[in-house]
Amino acid sequence: NSNRASIAHLQRQHYGRLYPVLLVGTDGSTTHLRYREPKRILMLPLDSTTLPEAERKARLRRHFRGKPKPRTEETFEGIDLETYKRFWKK
């Protein structure tokens, strides 16, 4: 009851009310609905099996960028040590 809520907070797992949210479908259609958490936009996941082959491959290429390029290791052969002499303690 309201007396219990005024003394201490309620031990609920869910929010006590529903919040207005914009639901965006996979085809771009939008619907206003009430959701249990305060969010602005909910997006439905896209089903990749319904996409054309070219668009599906383009999405996969964007998602998996490829192998990272190997780094070249720095060597100390090309460094002039006289330029860093002032940082050494005597």
Side-chain angles (χ1 to χ4, degrees):
N1 63 17
S2 64
N3 294 331
R4 186 178 128 219
S6 66
I7 295 171
H9 70 281
L10 294 177
Q11 301 290 330
R12 290 187 192 171
Q13 296 293 331
H14 304 276
Y15 287 98
R17 55 174 275 202
L18 297 176
Y19 297 90
V21 173
L22 183 67
L23 178 71
V24 179
T26 57
D27 58 349
S29 62
T30 59
T31 307
H32 292 280
L33 56 93
R34 315 270 307 157
Y35 192 65
R36 65 181 178 269
E37 296 178 11
K39 295 184 177 185
R40 290 184 185 220
I41 295 178
L42 281 177
M43 295 183 71
L44 293 176
L46 184 66
D47 187 14
S48 63
T49 58
T50 60
L51 292 176
E53 188 67 23
E55 188 175 344
R56 187 176 65 81
K57 284 186 178 181
R59 283 182 168 270
L60 286 174
R61 250 186 272 119
R62 275 182 284 166
H63 186 48
F64 300 106
R65 293 280 180 181
K67 296 178 183 176
K69 296 179 182 176
R71 290 186 179 181
T72 58
E73 294 186 18
E74 295 182 14
T75 58
F76 295 108
E77 296 169 358
I79 297 176
D80 183 23
L81 294 179
E82 291 297 321
T83 57
Y84 299 102
K85 190 175 183 177
R86 63 176 181 215
F87 297 116
W88 299 335
K89 292 186 177 180
K90 295 182 180 183

